[in-house]
Amino acid sequence: QLYASCLFLLHALTGNLILNIGPTADGRIIPLMAERLLQIGSWLKINGGAIYASQPWKTKQSENTTDGVLVYYTAKTASDKVKNDIHYKSHVGDGDTATTMNLYAILMSWPEEGKLTLSAPPCSSTTTASLLTAKGLVKLDAICATVMGGRVNTRASDGNGVTITMPSATMALDKARLVPYAFTILMENSI
């Protein structure tokens, strides 16, 4: 899990990761290192959209939510398609020339109360949130909200802040086949 944590932190802050994994003198990869590489690969297969061709979000790179979830943000234009990104195949056509930005929130833990309030992302009536899973995007309920003095206040107007209703962690891990290191939410029509 240390390698996976480093991946998300380093990407969010600098975009670089040096694994320092090499073969032994006889050309083998140590099983522990191979396991770590496979874990990172499994995570990237699901969440690569938040990493490949993205950049740290210029407005805010990370935040701690009111319920203690550490979140890192990345962004990329909606038209930046990655060859093996399973999520873009399902909702961005080949001829799409959109120039809007999509915002990704990479959660370092699952929200315990089933609701996640992010104070930084802009929110409007057209903002949508989806959980990236091995089976594709899972649409989540998202409403505009503000955080003031540790309290969450929902609102109908545009502005910064969004509250997202999350599925239960058990359902998400079992049915959506999530990799349990970090979880990614795609927010469209947000920035």
Side-chain angles (χ1 to χ4, degrees), residues 28-40:
R28 293 180 296 114
I29 299 291
I30 297 170
L32 178 65
M33 297 296 116
E35 179 184 345
R36 299 298 183 257
L37 290 171
L38 290 170
Q39 290 170 341
I40 290 172

Side-chain angles (χ1 to χ4, degrees), residues 105-169:
I106 302 170
L107 316 179
M108 298 308 293
S109 60
W110 197 264
E112 290 182 25
E113 300 298 319
K115 293 221 184 264
L116 176 72
T117 299
L118 304 171
S119 64
C123 182
S124 72
S125 59
T126 61
T127 299
T128 63
S130 302
L131 181 67
L132 277 61
T133 75
K135 295 181 179 181
L137 296 172
V138 173
K139 189 163 174 65
L140 303 172
D141 290 330
I143 57 172
C144 297
T146 55
V147 180
M148 294 172 55
R151 295 184 51 126
V152 177
N153 301 307
T154 59
R155 66 181 193 298
S157 62
D158 295 354
N160 286 1
V162 61
T163 295
I164 300 168
T165 303
M166 303 291 288
S168 74

